[in-house]
Amino acid sequence: MHGTVLSSAPAWHAPTAPAGSDVPAASLTAVGKGLRSLVSPAALAGSLTELAWVGAHALLYPLGTRTEQLRPDGRFRPGTQPPAARALFADDPLAARIPVVLVHGLVDNRSVFAVMRRSLRRRGFAQVCSWNYSPLLRDVESAAEALGRHVERVCRETGHDRVHVVGHSLGGLVARYLVQRLGGDQRIESLVTLGTPHGGSWWAHALPTRLVRQLRPGSALFQELAAPAPDCRTRVTAVYSDLDQMVVPSAAGRCDHPDLQARNVLVRGVGHMSLPIHRGVVDEVAATLAGLRTDGDEPLPVAA
């Protein structure tokens, strides 16, 4: 597993204090650099984009409360393709039109993927659908079971054996639990997470609900996800940002598990809610689903 050094993390992502000490491990110089990063051009641009998108998303939110109806495209059903075309399905996900399932985050709905869904379809992914789960979600485990049933339905209606999943925030953690602990790797070809708290978030200490408690660093959920998963076949890519206001510290957005061999991609200057609309992130998701990305961690440039 390769590491990516965050050269200019915002101040709220400073390292935690050592055990038994109230003083953070970072030096005053490091803290000063973190504070300066808050007023850097990239951070300011990212923050303004985040505010604009949050406002637009609030208007779109009512339109996304209903679960999107799956409309399978018979032209890309495996059984209807000639042998020469079916041979592409094993090696070229883009040509194969493997279905893509988009999973939103906590207290959200499919409207957060309004831009990404359209962009993926323009890039050749003909069967892209979003899945809404209940805002009254009890825990990650029950959501993962429900997602598993939805994936089975997508496979049944499209004729495909496997799907791609893109999860934003909590949606990525739900999908990861499915592939790692519930056998979802048999159906999910690749999983891309956007701003997912793979290592938890300090903000989870703010609310005492059962679900939010699961998102605290070191919780029983994360201990379970840290267990060996030697047979997991799903390719995992974790896209995380150094300007993520919800995943704190930002390095918690990485998926570091020796059995998953996850690929971590750092994007700088992009807020939590802006990840699904960021041009560079959308390009990265499309390229990853198309099998055009290699293993290893790498940063993404900030799009203008």
Side-chain angles (χ1 to χ4, degrees):
M1 192 77 61
H2 301 286
T4 300
V5 178
L6 302 184
S7 58
S8 58
W12 58 77
H13 297 302
T16 57
S21 172
D22 292 328
V23 180
S27 65
L28 291 177
T29 301
V31 173
K33 290 180 179 179
L35 290 173
R36 286 195 296 272
S37 73
L38 291 175
V39 294
S40 68
L44 290 175
S47 299
L48 290 174
T49 300
E50 180 84 349
L51 288 173
W53 170 237
V54 168
H57 183 42
L59 297 176
L60 292 173
Y61 189 92
L63 302 178
T65 54
R66 298 180 61 183
T67 297
E68 182 179 18
Q69 295 299 313
L70 181 64
R71 297 179 176 83
D73 192 331
R75 295 174 299 169
F76 306 113
R77 195 176 183 89
T80 63
Q81 301 292 322
R86 287 201 301 269
L88 295 173
F89 279 59
D91 299 321
D92 188 356
L94 185 58
R97 308 302 199 271
I98 292 179
V100 179
V101 179
L102 308 175
V103 185
H104 62 78
L106 183 64
V107 196
D108 208 342
N109 60 37
R110 63 187 177 91
S111 61
V112 74
F113 290 114
V115 173
M116 179 169 287
R117 181 170 58 248
R118 183 175 67 253
S119 297
L120 288 177
R121 286 172 175 167
R122 287 178 176 175
R123 285 165 170 79
F125 293 90
Q127 303 189 103
V128 182
C129 63
S130 305
W131 177 64
N132 277 357
Y133 54 82
S134 171
L136 303 177
L137 182 67
R138 300 193 314 275
D139 50 49
V140 170
E141 296 89 335
S142 59
E145 292 173 357
L147 175 58
R149 292 190 294 270
H150 181 75
V151 168
E152 288 292 336
R153 176 183 166 224
V154 171
C155 289
R156 184 172 60 252
E157 295 188 9
T158 63
H160 287 265
D161 293 329
R162 294 169 74 76
V163 302
H164 298 303
V165 173
V166 179
H168 177 238
S169 194
L170 179 63
L173 198 62
V174 169
R176 178 185 170 188
Y177 192 92
L178 172 61
V179 302
Q180 194 176 331
R181 306 299 298 172
L182 300 180
D185 61 310
Q186 298 181 27
R187 289 297 193 191
I188 298 177
E189 177 72 19
S190 59
L191 166 63
V192 180
T193 67
L194 311 175
T196 290
H198 289 286
S201 176
W202 295 347
W203 283 116
H205 292 284
L207 292 176
T209 64
R210 177 180 178 182
L211 173 61
V212 176
R213 286 200 304 269
Q214 286 189 307
L215 304 182
R216 295 174 180 175
S219 70
L221 173 72
F222 291 117
Q223 294 177 31
E224 184 178 359
L225 288 175
D231 300 323
C232 186
R233 298 185 298 167
T234 301
R235 294 181 287 110
V236 179
T237 297
V239 179
Y240 67 108
S241 171
D242 64 350
L243 196 65
D244 196 316
Q245 305 89 346
M246 302 307 298
V247 180
V248 181
S250 58
R254 295 172 53 90
C255 182
D256 292 316
H257 192 293
D259 293 330
L260 297 182
Q261 294 298 311
R263 174 172 166 267
N264 294 288
V265 179
L266 169 64
V267 57
R268 293 185 171 90
V270 182
H272 184 76
M273 294 301 296
S274 301
L275 284 166
I277 68 168
H278 184 266
R279 185 177 61 192
V281 172
V282 173
D283 289 342
E284 181 67 24
V285 169
T288 299
L289 300 187
L292 302 179
R293 289 293 187 256
T294 58
D295 293 335
D297 299 356
E298 54 191 272
L300 277 179
V302 178

